Amino acid sequence: MLRVNEILSPILLYAACLIGAIGVALALPRRKPGIALIGGLVAIAGVGLGALALFLWAADAELLPSVFFYVFGLLALGSGLRMITHPRPVYSALYFILTIIASSGLYVILSAEFMAFALIIIYAGAIIITYLFVIMLATQAPTEDDEELLSTYDTEARDPLWSAAVGFVILAALTAVMFRGSDALPPVQASAGSHELLAQMPRKIERELRRSGAIRADEQVLTVDGVAQVDWDSRLVSLEGGNLAALPESFVTSNVEELGFNLLADHPMTIEIAGVILLMAMLGATVLARRQVDIEEAAKALQARRLSLREGASDA
Amino acid sequence: MLELAQSAFPQPMAGVTLAHYLVLSGAMFTLGLVGFITRRNLIIMFLCTELMFQAAGLALIAFSRYHLNLDGQTFVIFVLTVAAAEAAMALALVVLLFRRRESLSSEEWADLKG
């Protein structure tokens, strides 16, 4: 038996795609600024309809909806929309920072804390600041708040209707595929892999045991080749001298530790390759943006003579 | 293969499935795509590619969470690296192009299509 929401939610999603397309097409910068505001409102209505469809779909699965997903998701989409529609480049970059902060909120919900912080530091802290510098280098910012002073290439979009239509047809096709047989996310739980990982960190175990008062200050965790001896069925740790100590149930690895082990144990070349890519980009950017200064032969000769005179003076 | 293990973490995930994140990621990607096609300012066009990178990263993290596998998060480090490298190169090129024509409009370079 088909339930109502199984039919209703996809229809709502397609309607959301359509309304979103109309809204984005209207909101893109054009000569008459009044339409952009209406377009923005229509686009927000489309996003709201999409959220409603997702909400109904989740309610149908008899699960509690997560407030934070909707808050961060709407924030990301709203600021993304404002980013691609704002006529002033600096504001676009600032709205993109808002998108990044919302995405990092989503990363935290997905229990990827390290990547959430890395995202804010690298994107908002480094990449967008570079963009802002280039925007300030390459645009003559109007001092007054006057739309007339903006360049035409900023205030008029190219084919807004067609591109929005194409984009949102792609989105509708994507969502149609995504809604075939996707399950709820599995609960995060301790696994055999995390036990192995914990056993490789005897100092962390020792610190935790000291903190909870399970062992005295002079006792130490027994290690064989740097691996702590733990019986995971009873959660008992062997200590030097033959004693045993119980590990608390809540003692698990953190996302940063797991990511670190994954990065360095399973993918040891990742950091090296990333470093090479960044080095090449840095060299390329330096070579590309270098300003070629033409110095005349006479000026060169004069400078050389000055230098040699100065050297002669310091030698004497 | 190491797996996520955070039983102490509260479960605000309930009710939000993988499809929710994929739809959100798809919508972000579409916004970036539409922006890239429609905007005529070179800097904004590259900023829109960054939005598409963001969407891809979100999908990777969501899949990583769905499969309880950290490889997706490791790959996002690569996405960040490529985004940073792309920003450096693209902005150097934009500065170079701006010096030539004193304009950021992509249509200034329409004669390149031959």
Side-chain angles (χ1 to χ4, degrees):
Chain A
M1 195 185 81
L2 273 176
R3 280 166 296 187
V4 178
N5 284 341
E6 276 179 25
I7 311 166
L8 192 62
S9 272
I11 294 175
L12 274 180
L13 261 188
Y14 292 137
C17 286
L18 184 67
I19 293 174
I22 297 169
V24 169
L26 288 177
L28 282 167
R30 58 181 68 226
R31 280 190 207 89
K32 281 172 265 175
I35 302 172
L37 187 66
I38 303 166
L41 290 177
V42 173
I44 289 166
V47 170
L49 196 63
L52 181 70
L54 290 172
F55 183 86
L56 277 180
W57 195 71
D60 187 57
E62 291 173 7
L63 293 165
L64 248 163
S66 160
V67 176
F68 290 110
F69 170 78
Y70 292 103
V71 169
F72 286 128
L74 290 179
L75 198 60
L77 283 184
S79 50
L81 175 73
R82 202 68 192 101
M83 171 199 142
I84 68 163
T85 55
H86 207 288
R88 288 169 197 273
V90 175
Y91 283 80
S92 282
L94 292 178
Y95 275 113
F96 187 53
I97 292 183
L98 195 56
T99 312
I100 285 161
I101 291 171
S103 324
S104 73
L106 289 169
Y107 283 15
V108 171
I109 296 177
L110 287 166
S111 64
E113 297 95 4
F114 178 77
M115 289 320 297
F117 298 131
L119 193 73
I120 291 189
I121 294 167
I122 297 175
Y123 252 104
I127 298 181
I128 296 306
I129 298 303
T130 321
Y131 270 95
L132 282 174
F133 268 114
V134 172
I135 290 169
M136 287 166 189
L137 274 177
T139 44
Q140 293 85 22
T143 44
E144 288 145 69
D145 216 26
D146 192 1
E147 297 282 328
E148 294 295 311
L149 289 171
L150 291 167
S151 326
T152 39
Y153 57 81
D154 274 335
T155 52
E156 281 173 44
R158 179 173 47 201
D159 290 340
L161 215 59
W162 284 111
S163 51
V166 168
F168 281 83
V169 165
I170 291 173
L171 179 60
L174 281 177
T175 48
V177 178
M178 282 164 192
F179 263 83
R180 298 258 164 78
S182 103
D183 316 323
L185 296 168
V188 221
Q189 63 205 354
S191 60
S194 88
H195 287 162
E196 274 168 38
L197 187 55
L198 266 182
Q200 287 177 37
M201 295 187 280
R203 292 286 157 272
K204 182 179 161 77
I205 294 178
E206 209 171 286
R207 213 165 44 235
E208 171 68 18
L209 288 175
R210 288 238 171 82
R211 201 182 57 75
S212 63
I215 59 171
R216 291 192 309 276
D218 57 331
E219 280 179 317
Q220 284 192 332
V221 172
L222 178 69
T223 56
V224 179
D225 294 333
V227 177
Q229 302 300 301
V230 187
D231 179 16
W232 287 108
D233 294 325
S234 52
R235 296 186 76 84
L236 287 175
V237 190
S238 308
L239 300 178
E240 300 230 4
N243 286 337
L244 293 171
L247 263 185
E249 278 292 323
S250 61
F251 184 57
V252 289
T253 48
S254 72
N255 173 256
V256 180
E257 288 158 353
E258 287 166 8
L259 191 62
F261 270 91
N262 183 279
L263 195 60
L264 293 178
D266 296 351
H267 310 278
M269 278 302 284
T270 314
I271 301 282
E272 322 287 334
I273 297 171
V276 170
I277 292 174
L278 285 174
L279 179 68
M280 287 298 124
M282 192 179 74
L283 286 177
T286 316
V287 170
L288 278 175
R290 192 173 48 130
R291 191 189 286 272
Q292 298 278 352
V293 184
D294 291 325
I295 307 173
E296 286 171 28
E297 286 301 316
K300 271 185 199 164
L302 188 69
Q303 188 67 21
R305 208 175 306 133
R306 265 193 211 138
L307 279 174
S308 63
L309 274 178
R310 202 177 300 155
E311 269 171 29
S314 63
D315 284 347
Chain B
M1 191 95 32
L2 305 171
E3 292 179 9
L4 287 170
Q6 280 155 2
S7 57
F9 197 75
Q11 300 284 322
M13 301 302 314
V16 177
T17 62
L18 179 64
H20 286 73
Y21 283 97
L22 294 183
V23 169
L24 179 61
S25 151
M28 271 169 77
F29 188 89
T30 310
L31 276 181
L33 185 69
V34 170
F36 187 79
I37 299 171
T38 54
R39 296 306 298 268
R40 301 196 288 182
N41 186 326
L42 283 172
I43 296 178
I44 304 291
M45 285 169 75
F46 284 115
L47 211 53
C48 289
T49 61
E50 302 285 341
L51 190 60
M52 290 193 264
F53 275 126
Q54 272 302 303
L58 182 63
L60 278 171
I61 296 268
F63 274 120
S64 150
R65 173 70 181 71
Y66 181 70
H67 293 292
L68 292 178
N69 176 336
L70 278 169
D71 292 347
Q73 293 190 26
T74 310
F75 198 72
V76 172
I77 293 178
F78 255 114
V79 173
L80 288 187
T81 311
V82 171
E86 181 252 349
M89 298 295 292
L91 292 176
L93 280 170
V94 165
V95 169
L96 203 68
L97 296 176
F98 179 74
R99 278 197 204 130
R100 288 265 168 87
R101 301 263 164 107
E102 291 295 315
S103 164
L104 283 175
S105 171
S106 59
E107 276 156 25
E108 286 283 316
W109 301 91
D111 48 344
L112 284 180
K113 70 188 171 195

